[in-house]
Structure formats: structure tokens, C-alpha cells
Amino acid sequence: MRALRTPVGAVGAALLALVLLLAVLAPVLIGDRAAVVDTDQLLAGPSAEHWAGTDNLGRDLFLRVLVATRLSISLALLATAIAVSVGLVLGSLPWLLGPRLGRPVTALVNILVAFPGLLLVLCLATVFGVGARGAVLAIGFAGAPTFARLCQTLIAGIASRDYVAAARIAGVGRLRILWRHVLPNVSEPLVVNATIGAGGALLAFAGLSFLGLGVQAPAYDWGRLMQDGLAGIYVHPLAALAPGIAVVIAGLAFNLTGEAIAGALGITPVVGPRAWSVPVRSGLPKAPAPAEDMVLDVRDLAVAFPAPSAPVTPVRGVSLSLRAGEAVGIVGESGSGKSLTALAIAQLVEEPGRVTGEVTFCGTDLNDGGNHDDLLGTSLAVVFQDPMTSLNPALRVGRQLAEVSRFHQGLGWRHAFARAVDRLRAVHLRDPERAAHAYPFELSGGMRQRAMIGMGLMGAPRLIIADEPTTALDVTVQKQVLALLEDVRREHGTALLLISHDISVIGEVCGRVLVMYAGRIVEEIAAADLRSGARHPYTRALVAAVPSMTTALDEPLATIPGQPVDPAAVPPGCAYADRCPLATDQCLSEEPALVGGVACWRAGEPLPVELEKQVRV
């Protein structure tokens, strides 16, 4: 409706309606009259009886142009359907097959897109043969690479969303994720571009018929009529111009309509990495046998991505453990590797990323190369920081929660949906039935975050990883969500790994705190000792940067000078040395190991007086 309110949209829709109406009615109403041969009116010029004149058999050209609308439009739409279908398959294969197997498909699409479209159409028309069928296949397959490139781009953007990652954790297969979660969210731009592409297909088909490669006699379309009228264009120009005008009007109808819809929706009509390896640390101590209540045991976890010179390692040698019912927090500035650590634990790091180290979850080594979807889908829950992108906007909330029970517990649709309502009630939503039937955009931010927690409770989670779960919420709702996580942890004995850049939030919920900087854990400390017992200068700086009720209003807030380290350019010594007021030559040249819960050469030494006052406050 927004598109129809614009001048371009109104004109385009009116023209398109007229063209489609003619395609349906003209052959029925005037098809017989257009085929009448009149030898007394051979090659007659325009007149009141024959508006566009007649052809070499005395047939009315204007009526034939109207009747040809059906065949011209039908063939153009059929070619567009082939282009979209083949393009959708080619565009989806790289994601379905994975980066390694999908790389040849991407290379093929790149080559076809670079090839001139007109030459590709002519080449394929020769291969498929002269006639309407060959022209349809030629135009359809020639247009497929453009739609394939568009699909690749759109699918890559949607596949990186959190709700797709949540579906993967739930154990949903790639094909079903594509059908249920990806394609519904890329349908709008595909439809818009298909509408615009139909105009191009119509023009291409008219061109092939004009060259004699398309529709053959006795059938006729607009291109065939233009070819028949070309011989007498200097004597009788309207015989060739009339079908050409029809092609222009129909092409404008499709293009203007598509452009108007694209504008109303805000849509713009439209080398794989080389092989590499992650450096493996040598001489790692063998992990002791896990305790019976040990839920998660991570040792020397590293995540690396390829780069032109050397792999970039945003997470370097992280080790942590969680027992049943324990709450552990990870805190640090943006870019310190907190979220990537969580993704690596949940096996959500996509290619070309490489994860090394030991990740033992509920006694199972997740990095052994096996498929652990059943374990991860029922015993691990991940709550992402933005619930609006974590939930699929095209599906109702209850349906998304029910997927977990349907795939992993074998429940039917009714029982799975009933459990979803029960889980929404368990996370204290006032009207769980209504919330289950609502789309995500119909819920508030706090309700969506509760629904995400409820999705994690569809199974029997031993561990909940909450990655910035309160970032987008106001203070009141933030406190409610944190209280809900605490209730779940106490009632079910679930371990909680809470990730945040807000050290005060971590201190309220967690018993232990892991402070990360430049991909490493630089200090492990009890939450109760954060203000008085922190020994690493970075931890003390984080504490000082959090204002309190006693912070002086007339003084500037404490900040940490400098910028966080670029993962692609980590210095040889302590990564925090350039920002640390206690740094020495040893800090600049030697990286300290995590010993006694802190990785610092000058741990616990007093800070400068002004900084020490801020920490005490």
C-alpha cells in the first residue's frame, strides 16, 4: 500500500494491471478476429478500421499485438521463474554444503556473473535450440547467476543471526534451517528483484524472437511481430513500432512496480580463503579426571581466523571450569574475546575459524570431531545479548520454542507447543498462551529475553551461557532478568556462565569472576573481592570505571586510557602494558603466565595515588 501511494507505484501498478488483464482476456475476446485474413487489405496503413494497419495477409496488427500479450508475458514469467529457482539453488548451496564444499559453487557463480549476459543468452539459445522452449531455458539459465549472487549475499547475512545459531544449538539441520529460518527472511528482496527481472526477461525474449531464435510461426509474440514488420518499416513503420511500444509499456510496468515496492520496503535491487592452520601449543599438562559435579572444563582454548600473513587469534589459551549450580562471570572491554569464547564452547564458530584446546562438557569432549547436537541441544542453553535478532521474526514465539522438544524429545506438535507455553510460564511471563502465539516484535524487550531463557529451559540444561543478556534492557527489566537467571540456577542446579562488560552486574550474580583482556584471562577472582582484592591493574581499572552512589558529581568519571589491543597486532609482552601505569621493560618484552589467579609481573603493587583513590571509591 505504501508503494501504491507513490506516483511511480501508482503508474506501475496501473500499467501492470492493464497488461495482465490483456494477457487474460485478449485471446478470449478478440483471438478469432485477430486471425481473420483479408486479401483486400494486404499491408494496409493505419486507419479507423485498422489502428495499426495490417500485415501481409491483411490481419489487423493492433489486435494481433493485444493477443500476443498472453504468450509474451507467459514466456517472460516462465523464464523469470526458472532464473529465480536455479539462482535460489545455486545461492543456497554454499551455505548448505559449508565453506569448503561450497567454494566451487561460489567460484562458478562468480564466473557466470562476470560473463556478458547477452552473449550468455545467445550461447544458451544455440545450445537449447531454436523455438520458444529453447528461448525460455536460455533466458532462465542466463538470469540465474544474478539471482544466485543475490541469494548468496542475503543468506550470508541472515545465517549470521543469533536465531540461526540458536536453531543450530537445538540440533535443527541446515536444510530445515534454510527452509524455516532463512528463506522466509529473504523472500521480500527476492520477490522485488524477480518483479524487476521479469521486465528484463520480457525484453530479452522479444529480442530473441526478433532475431528468429524465439517463437516460431504460426505462433507469434511481440518480438515475432516486430520481425515481420521490419521489412516494410520505411513504408509502414507502425507495423514494427506497435509491438515495440507494447514491449516498452510492459517492461515499464514490471520495473516501475518493482522499484516502487523496493522503495517502500527499503530494499536496494541488486575468494574463498586459502588453507591455513592454527598454531598448537605444545607441552600442555594433561587434564585431571573431572569431578562428578563438573559441568564444563575448558583447557587452553584458542580461536583463530586466517589472514594474509599469519592467523589472527582473538582467543588465546583460555582455561576455565564450572561446577553444577555455580555462577561464573567473564568481564572485559569490547573486543577482549568474551563472546567468541562462548561461541567456541557452544561449537558455534563458523568456518574458516579454527578452535583448538579441550572443551569437556558433561564428560564429553566437544572438540573430538564428532556430532554432539543431541547433547548441546538439550543440556546447553545460550542466551544472546539481543533477543530481537535471537528470535526468528517470521515465526511465532511458541513455535520456535517447540522446535527443541520436537527434535530432541520426539514430542508431537501439540505436546511440544504445550511444553513451550509451560516454559514461558516458568520464566514468569504473565500471559504465556498469548506470548506463545505472538511474533517476537509483538513482545517487549524484557519479554523477548525471558522467551529466550524459556527456550533454553525446553530441555534440561546443565549449563546456561548468557552473553550480555541485559545490554538492550532498562535497569528495572535488567534486574528482573538477572533475578530470573539466578532463580533458574538455584532451582535446577544449572551452571551459569555470564558474560558482560559491566563488572557491577557480574559482581551481583556470580561467585567467581574471570577478567579477560586481548583474548586471555588475566585474573580470576572471587566476586566479593573485586573492590578490595583485585591485583591486576586492568581489573582495578575496570572497577574504578564503574560509578557508584558516592562518586563525586563535580569530577570526571574514571576511564582507562588508550585503546584495546588489535587481535591482529598483539604485542610480544603483556598486552596491557601500553595502557598500564605500572608497566616496566619486562612487561613490554615478556608475556606473564596466569599464576596464582593473576597474569601480571607487578600484581598487587600500588597504583599511582590518583588511581588508587578511584579504586577505593
Side-chain angles (χ1 to χ4, degrees):
M1 295 304 297
R2 290 198 303 270
L4 291 178
R5 296 189 187 102
T6 63
V8 173
V11 173
L15 288 177
L16 185 60
L18 176 61
V19 169
L20 296 179
L21 189 64
L22 284 174
V24 174
L25 298 180
V28 177
L29 300 179
I30 60 177
D32 294 337
R33 292 170 55 195
V36 173
V37 176
D38 187 356
T39 56
D40 295 332
Q41 298 287 336
L42 301 181
L43 298 175
S47 63
E49 184 180 358
H50 305 289
W51 292 0
T54 62
D55 63 5
N56 56 358
L57 292 178
R59 294 171 295 194
D60 191 295
L61 283 175
F62 181 72
L63 297 181
R64 287 173 69 79
V65 169
L66 296 183
V67 172
T69 304
R70 172 180 291 183
L71 184 59
S72 300
I73 296 299
S74 300
L75 294 178
L77 293 179
L78 183 57
T80 304
I82 293 175
V84 174
S85 301
V86 176
L88 188 60
V89 172
L90 289 177
S92 303
L93 280 178
W95 188 77
L96 288 174
L97 299 177
R100 184 168 300 175
L101 295 178
R103 208 168 295 163
V105 180
T106 302
L108 175 63
V109 171
N110 292 338
I111 294 173
L112 294 177
V113 169
F115 200 80
L118 180 59
L119 294 180
L120 187 59
V121 170
L122 294 176
C123 177
L124 292 176
T126 304
V127 173
F128 290 120
V130 175
R133 178 182 300 176
V136 167
L137 294 176
I139 296 173
F141 283 105
T146 302
F147 284 99
R149 172 64 64 82
L150 174 64
C151 288
Q152 284 181 357
T153 304
L154 295 174
I155 289 173
I158 296 298
S160 63
R161 298 293 183 89
D162 289 340
Y163 59 79
V164 175
R168 287 184 55 206
I169 292 177
V172 184
R174 280 182 176 266
L175 186 60
R176 190 171 182 84
I177 290 176
L178 179 71
W179 182 256
R180 290 284 303 279
H181 298 275
V182 178
L183 292 184
N185 289 295
V186 302
S187 58
E188 284 185 357
L190 286 179
V191 171
V192 169
N193 282 273
T195 303
I196 298 174
L202 180 67
L203 180 60
F205 215 104
L208 285 183
S209 295
F210 179 77
L211 295 175
L213 300 175
V215 175
Q216 303 296 307
Y220 59 93
D221 67 341
W222 289 329
R224 181 73 187 182
L225 292 177
M226 284 191 290
Q227 184 195 44
D228 293 341
L230 182 63
I233 190 170
Y234 295 109
V235 179
H236 185 8
L238 203 56
L241 292 179
I245 293 172
V247 173
V248 172
I249 293 175
L252 281 175
F254 282 107
N255 280 273
L256 291 179
T257 304
E259 291 283 358
I261 296 174
L265 298 176
I267 299 172
T268 302
V270 240
V271 177
R274 63 184 181 181
W276 61 284
S277 60
V278 182
V280 180
R281 296 170 178 243
S282 60
L284 295 179
K286 184 173 179 61
E292 292 183 1
D293 62 345
M294 184 68 71
V295 175
L296 179 67
D297 187 22
V298 178
R299 286 183 169 268
D300 207 58
L301 179 70
V303 181
F305 296 90
S309 57
V312 177
T313 310
V315 176
R316 307 177 295 135
V318 171
S319 298
L320 59 92
S321 62
L322 279 90
R323 296 178 180 273
E326 186 180 18
V328 174
I330 301 180
V331 69
E333 295 172 288
S334 296
S336 59
K338 308 183 302 298
S339 297
L340 194 54
T341 299
L343 293 177
I345 293 173
Q347 306 295 291
L348 291 177
V349 175
E350 291 278 6
E351 291 283 351
R354 296 288 190 272
V355 179
T356 59
E358 298 180 11
V359 180
T360 304
F361 176 57
C362 297
T364 301
D365 182 8
L366 300 182
N367 280 349
D368 60 1
N371 186 348
H372 304 292
D373 288 346
D374 291 339
L375 176 64
L376 296 175
T378 55
S379 299
L380 174 66
V382 180
V383 181
F384 296 101
Q385 60 180 333
D386 187 357
M388 195 57 196
T389 61
S390 303
L391 294 169
N392 189 335
L395 298 178
R396 299 182 188 275
V397 173
R399 190 170 186 176
Q400 298 184 56
L401 268 67
E403 276 189 332
V404 180
S405 293
R406 293 184 66 193
F407 276 92
H408 293 292
Q409 299 170 350
L411 299 182
W413 166 244
R414 291 187 178 180
H415 291 88
F417 190 84
R419 179 164 177 79
V421 173
D422 178 71
R423 295 298 85 191
L424 291 175
R425 184 178 294 108
V427 294
H428 309 309
L429 280 175
R430 294 183 179 178
D431 192 348
E433 288 83 5
R434 175 184 172 278
H437 288 90
Y439 289 99
F441 63 84
E442 297 179 291
L443 305 180
S444 67
M447 295 172 70
R448 287 193 294 264
Q449 197 62 283
R450 289 173 183 268
M452 278 299 300
I453 298 173
M455 182 181 292
L457 297 179
M458 289 296 293
R462 300 281 307 278
L463 170 65
I464 295 178
I465 299 177
D467 184 9
E468 304 274 8
T470 60
T471 298
L473 307 178
D474 58 61
V475 177
T476 302
V477 179
Q478 179 185 103
K479 189 173 183 63
Q480 294 173 354
V481 171
L482 292 176
L484 176 60
L485 289 173
E486 181 67 12
D487 292 342
V488 171
R489 183 175 68 87
R490 290 178 177 175
E491 291 177 10
H492 302 280
T494 305
L496 173 64
L497 183 63
L498 179 62
I499 298 171
S500 178
H501 63 272
D502 191 340
I503 200 168
S504 60
V505 170
I506 293 290
E508 289 182 10
V509 178
C510 302
R512 283 190 296 127
V513 180
L514 307 176
V515 182
M516 285 193 71
Y517 187 79
R520 292 188 65 207
I521 293 177
V522 296
E523 185 166 12
E524 181 175 352
I525 185 174
D529 298 333
L530 270 174
R531 291 196 172 274
S532 59
R535 293 184 291 163
H536 199 285
Y538 179 63
T539 307
R540 287 186 274 178
L542 288 176
V543 173
V546 179
S548 65
M549 296 300 294
T550 59
T551 301
L553 299 180
D554 56 347
E555 295 182 3
L557 295 175
T559 58
I560 304 177
Q563 297 293 329
V565 173
D566 183 357
V570 179
C574 175
Y576 186 64
D578 289 340
R579 309 172 70 186
C580 180
L582 301 178
T584 63
D585 292 340
Q586 183 184 23
C587 300
L588 295 172
S589 59
E590 300 179 33
E591 185 176 30
L594 185 65
V595 178
V598 63
C600 181
W601 294 117
R602 305 188 65 185
E605 293 188 13
L607 295 172
V609 176
E610 62 274 10
L611 293 179
E612 192 66 39
K613 289 181 179 179
Q614 292 174 354
V615 173
R616 290 175 181 175
V617 171

